[in-house]
Amino acid sequence: INEHAIVSVTDFQGRIIEVNERFCAILGYTREELVGQDHSLINSGTHGASFWQEVWRTISAGKPWRGEVCNRRKDGSLYWVDSMLAPFAGEGGRIEKYISIRFDISQAKLNEKNLQQTRDRIAMATDAAGIGIWEWDVVANVLSWDDWMYRLYGQPPQSALEPYTLWSSSLHPDDRERSERELQAALRGELPFDTEFRIVRRGGELRNIKASARVI
């Protein structure tokens, strides 16, 4: 554990009584600077008071707690950990200390943030262009539409029809067989799905749709 994890031990009041070398190395503090302090020393301010109240309520009741926590190093930089806190009881069941075992997940959180930013940019671009996005999990047979897809088809997002049925039933009768044949051919890897077809919206309005997809 000491080789791979960030470990600290506190007394029953939450004061640090022991830390491993990895804890010191990541935080940038010496062992002498940490022992006797509580974990507010590394509090990043990311989590509100209610978060920490729930953590303390759980472990002081003798139960383990696990979650993701953002801490602050001595130099002010932030890092994320997957944290596990466990209480240790002595004779009579009275809690004597708490042990915390953490694993650095900062890179994973950064990747997650970058991915979300990319998704946000794509969403802004497609929304500005009026492009609908859909995704079909073929194995689970679940088709998902974003809001713009429903707008293109003149349907509310809360439509009672599931997306595939809505798409198929909206196709112009003269285009339905060809469009579904092209979709199945794309799924078999025979050709890319890049086509045009007509749909009939509610009220009989005719629209021309350009559709493209990539099979993964």
Side-chain angles (χ1 to χ4, degrees), residues 89-96:
E91 293 182 7
R94 184 171 180 267
I95 295 175
E96 294 183 346

Side-chain angles (χ1 to χ4, degrees), residues 95-169:
I95 295 175
E96 294 183 346
K97 59 184 177 180
Y98 302 95
I99 184 168
S100 172
I101 300 174
R102 306 175 180 88
F103 294 92
D104 191 345
I105 58 170
S106 299
Q107 188 59 50
K109 296 296 287 188
L110 178 61
N111 293 343
E112 182 181 306
K113 179 181 178 181
N114 291 339
L115 179 59
Q116 186 58 52
Q117 289 177 338
T118 300
R119 287 172 174 166
D120 290 343
R121 293 189 190 103
I122 292 172
M124 290 175 64
T126 56
D127 189 59
I131 298 173
I133 302 294
W134 57 274
E135 181 175 327
W136 186 16
D137 184 334
V138 181
V139 177
N141 195 28
V142 176
L143 178 63
S144 302
W145 279 9
D146 70 353
D147 287 348
W148 258 108
M149 284 294 295
Y150 286 99
R151 290 187 218 176
L152 290 173
Y153 282 75
Q155 295 283 345
Q158 299 81 20
S159 173
L161 291 176
E162 60 90 21
Y164 190 93
T165 301
L166 202 160
W167 172 70
S168 181
S169 63

Side-chain angles (χ1 to χ4, degrees), residues 184-201:
Q184 293 302 321
L187 288 174
R188 292 192 297 269
E190 297 172 2
L191 53 84
F193 187 68
D194 189 1
T195 187
E196 295 181 12
F197 49 79
R198 294 165 293 172
I199 63 169
V200 182
R201 304 201 335 172

